[in-house]
Amino acid sequence: PVVESAFDRPLDVEYLINLMLKWNDAKGNDFAGTIDPQRIGMSGHSFGGYTSFYEGFEDDRIKAILPMAPATQQLAVFGYKLEEFPVPTMVMAGGADKTLETDKEMTVAYEKLPPPKYYFELMTAGHYSFTDICSLNLKQLADDIGFGDAEDALEDGCGPENVDVDFAHPLIRQFGIGFLNVHLRDSACSKVY
């Protein structure tokens, strides 16, 4: 259920951050010393994008967010005002998103955000263009296994009318990593490009 998940996912993220920071401080752990607790960023796709916004409001350890094709309208239901969002944000959107309305969910949210903020839109990207699902044999997954997300992805991000992910993903990574480098690592060079 989506409503239950809206409450559970932030708790899962908080638990994961707590665990990772514990491992960061544990000598001998593979993650020991790999995390700067003052420079934590978060990214998420779709409902994960919503979760990124939610955590940006609720967890002051989050210093920047990168939501991709995010659902945002529920935030107002929970009393959050995007005009008061406390951390830098880069909203990534697909201009051909059929799952969420880009204008209502992403563009309006971006316009309300205070700076620093950035908006990245691939005009022929669909909802699933930001994921790795397009790299799978979606036709087989939809036909043979009955995996509904595969059928949705064929219609909204992985079809012939959508930007090819081999072109889209390097752009998504370049701009996303550049944004995080600027706001989490103080990278002046990333800001120039």
Side-chain angles (χ1 to χ4, degrees):
V2 174
V3 173
E4 185 176 328
S5 183
F7 292 103
D8 288 346
R9 285 183 184 210
L11 296 173
D12 293 339
V13 169
E14 291 169 23
Y15 173 80
L16 182 60
I17 292 172
N18 290 338
L19 184 61
M20 294 295 295
L21 291 175
K22 181 179 173 185
W23 290 344
N24 187 58
D25 293 336
K27 291 182 181 179
N29 189 288
D30 290 340
F31 290 99
T34 62
I35 300 169
D36 181 342
Q38 303 305 312
R39 298 173 187 245
I40 297 174
M42 184 172 172
S43 182
H45 172 256
S46 193
F47 201 61
Y50 155 81
T51 306
S52 297
F53 274 109
Y54 185 96
E55 281 301 298
F57 275 115
E58 289 294 322
D59 191 334
D60 62 4
R61 297 174 297 182
I62 305 291
K63 303 302 182 195
I65 68 163
L66 178 65
M68 299 176 191
T72 61
Q73 291 186 337
Q74 310 89 309
L75 292 163
V77 173
F78 293 117
Y80 296 108
K81 297 177 183 173
L82 287 170
E83 298 85 352
E84 299 172 2
F85 195 66
V87 299
T89 305
M90 175 179 271
V91 176
M92 290 195 163
D97 194 321
K98 296 176 186 172
T99 301
L100 296 172
E101 293 182 56
T102 303
D103 291 342
K104 290 183 180 178
E105 296 285 354
M106 291 146 244
T107 307
V108 168
Y110 168 76
E111 290 170 353
K112 290 179 180 180
L113 290 168
K117 62 180 180 176
Y118 309 85
Y119 189 79
F120 173 93
E121 183 173 337
L122 289 172
M123 298 310 292
T124 57
H127 194 69
Y128 291 91
S129 296
F130 296 91
T131 73
D132 291 335
I133 196 170
C134 298
S135 303
L136 304 174
N137 185 339
L138 296 177
K139 183 89 171 100
Q140 181 182 3
L141 286 171
D143 293 345
D144 297 349
I145 302 173
F147 183 56
D149 283 353
E151 196 170 320
D152 290 346
L154 282 168
E155 298 293 321
D156 193 6
C158 305
E161 71 281 359
N162 298 115
V163 63
D164 189 278
V165 293
D166 290 337
F167 178 80
H169 286 184
L171 291 171
I172 292 165
R173 284 192 300 270
Q174 180 172 345
F175 284 92
I177 292 169
F179 161 75
L180 293 171
N181 278 341
V182 167
H183 292 284
L184 298 179
R185 298 177 73 202
D186 301 319
S187 171
C189 291
S190 294
K191 193 168 190 175
V192 170
Y193 298 105

